[in-house]
Amino acid sequence: MMIACGQNKKNMKIEMNPYDSLLLSKLDKNSKHKKVKYAISTTSKLPYSLKINDILAEENIVPNDDRILNHFTWSYLDNYILGNGDHKAKYTFYPHEDPEISAEDGMIHQSDLDKLEIELLRYEEYDGEIENITIHKKFTFMIPNPVSFTEQEIEFTIKDLPYKIKGWSESQDLRGVDSELLKKEVVGYYQELRNILNEGSNYKYTYELQKTKYLEAALSAYLNKEEYLNMLNTNATDKITKNKMYPIENYSLAIEAEGRLVKLYRTDSELLNWDVLIYEDEKYRNSLAVRLHKPKGSDTFEIITK
């Protein structure tokens, strides 16, 4: 398949497997559907982390000057669900660090949980504008006694998305792999990605290594084929990473999605939980988000989501 890929190169040949070709063939029809999306809305004074389908979505636990105010976040579900069905999310709440806000005993009380506002939102998005927001479900939590932390799970069902993607649903479960061998292999793959980006090979990084990721993202974002190609071109040309990549260091390995995804997170306080693929341009320090999986029958990792 030949597709246009930016100003500097007229065409680049992209090899697509049958699944990629199937996704590509669905884009135009899928783009005409009502653009329904979902998000979990969280308002909390308590520090917390949130996993959606066992994938880290938010972590608001590092002390900062804004902690006195309610922390408000929308966690967009596109990155954590593959279509309709039953889904789970888990919050872990911690006591507030500020003595003016926290309880005298330093514990979490029911009154703290009563102040939370957690909702599953359904909305539509057109040309970057969010419309028709409705509360699909509200969630409340109960604890019998004050606690030093609490884990609270929520469940919800989505029925009206017009698409379904494979994502990591058929990927290998890596939880049984020797941890040191797995870590070595994952770090080695990240190092390859870092080297490709540091060489300035953004076309290879985008078109060869992320085509399935971007096809699935295009379907869940209701992009048509032309918009998908524009997204590829933009991602291949707007990141200037040559000789600007940070080294792969200060990381931990996370196994997510019930063993089917792996990711390296930074562990130093300044960049805590950033992706390890970091570069710095003239204005900002940026990270490139990737999660890896091993398709069934494969011996090598591939990028599947961010």
Side-chain angles (χ1 to χ4, degrees):
M1 175 184 178
M2 301 293 290
I3 58 177
C5 57
Q7 299 175 350
N8 298 325
K9 298 183 180 182
K10 293 183 179 180
N11 293 287
M12 175 172 284
K13 188 175 182 179
I14 305 300
E15 294 185 8
M16 288 196 169
N17 60 37
Y19 176 64
D20 294 335
S21 298
L22 177 64
L23 290 175
L24 189 68
S25 70
K26 290 183 175 181
L27 291 183
D28 285 342
K29 181 179 180 180
N30 187 69
S31 68
K32 295 178 172 62
H33 282 285
K34 184 181 293 186
K35 295 174 172 52
V36 175
K37 297 186 177 184
Y38 286 85
I40 294 177
S41 172
T42 306
T43 303
S44 172
K45 288 186 177 180
L46 295 173
Y48 72 91
S49 65
L50 169 63
K51 290 185 176 183
I52 302 171
N53 288 332
D54 195 37
I55 303 171
L56 182 65
E58 307 288 345
E59 191 151 51
N60 176 41
I61 62 174
V62 179
N64 59 64
D65 294 337
D66 296 331
R67 189 53 52 74
I68 293 176
L69 304 174
N70 273 7
H71 183 86
F72 172 73
T73 302
W74 272 32
S75 303
Y76 300 97
L77 298 192
D78 308 29
N79 299 318
Y80 312 106
I81 67 174
L82 304 176
N84 294 323
D86 298 328
H87 304 282
K88 295 181 179 181
K90 182 171 76 173
Y91 284 90
T92 304
F93 294 102
Y94 304 90
H96 206 292
E97 305 92 346
D98 192 326
E100 294 184 7
I101 296 178
S102 62
E104 291 185 5
D105 59 5
M107 306 284 273
I108 296 174
H109 292 247
Q110 182 61 46
S111 58
D112 296 311
L113 299 185
D114 291 341
K115 296 173 184 176
L116 299 172
E117 294 181 12
I118 297 175
E119 300 167 336
L120 176 65
L121 303 179
R122 181 192 185 277
Y123 63 98
E124 297 168 29
E125 184 173 0
Y126 301 96
D127 299 322
E129 297 294 325
I130 292 177
E131 304 175 4
N132 302 324
I133 302 173
T134 57
I135 299 174
H136 193 66
K137 192 173 184 179
K138 287 188 175 183
F139 303 95
T140 58
F141 304 130
M142 300 290 293
I143 51 175
N145 300 296
V147 292
S148 58
F149 75 95
T150 180
E151 294 182 341
Q152 301 286 341
E153 291 193 354
I154 61 177
E155 298 181 357
F156 53 92
T157 301
I158 294 175
K159 298 180 178 180
D160 58 348
L161 295 176
Y163 63 85
K164 182 176 180 60
I165 56 179
K166 182 166 64 175
W168 51 92
S169 63
E170 299 178 9
S171 305
Q172 297 178 40
D173 186 343
L174 302 171
R175 289 174 292 187
V177 179
D178 178 85
S179 59
E180 289 303 315
L181 291 176
L182 179 62
K183 185 175 183 179
K184 181 179 179 181
E185 188 176 357
V186 172
V187 173
Y189 190 85
Y190 267 93
Q191 189 64 56
E192 290 180 19
L193 297 178
R194 185 260 175 200
N195 292 342
I196 289 169
L197 291 162
N198 203 52
E199 292 167 358
S201 300
N202 296 79
Y203 282 92
K204 178 178 181 179
Y205 180 73
T206 300
Y207 285 94
E208 294 183 20
L209 301 180
Q210 298 199 88
K211 60 180 184 295
T212 301
K213 166 190 166 181
Y214 282 123
L215 277 165
E216 291 192 333
L219 200 70
S220 64
Y222 301 93
L223 302 185
N224 60 36
K225 189 181 297 185
E226 181 180 357
E227 290 167 331
Y228 161 68
L229 296 179
N230 289 337
M231 177 176 66
L232 280 181
N233 290 334
T234 298
N235 280 280
T237 57
D238 71 346
K239 298 177 179 65
I240 310 302
T241 60
K242 187 173 183 178
N243 297 324
K244 295 183 178 180
M245 294 298 297
Y246 282 31
I248 305 293
E249 61 184 5
N250 303 323
Y251 55 78
S252 64
L253 171 64
I255 302 176
E256 301 179 321
E258 306 297 336
R260 292 176 171 81
L261 295 175
V262 289
K263 185 180 181 74
L264 294 183
Y265 290 97
R266 288 287 292 242
T267 57
D268 41 325
S269 58
E270 183 181 6
L271 300 172
L272 185 64
N273 284 331
W274 277 44
D275 294 83
V276 297
L277 295 175
I278 301 171
Y279 69 97
E280 192 164 356
D281 58 26
E282 295 179 355
K283 294 183 178 180
Y284 305 106
R285 184 164 50 190
N286 310 277
S287 66
L288 302 174
V290 299
R291 285 182 168 90
L292 310 179
H293 78 136
K294 274 190 178 181
K296 282 187 177 179
S298 175
D299 294 327
T300 60
F301 282 107
E302 295 178 7
I303 298 171
I304 189 59
T305 186
K306 70 178 184 179

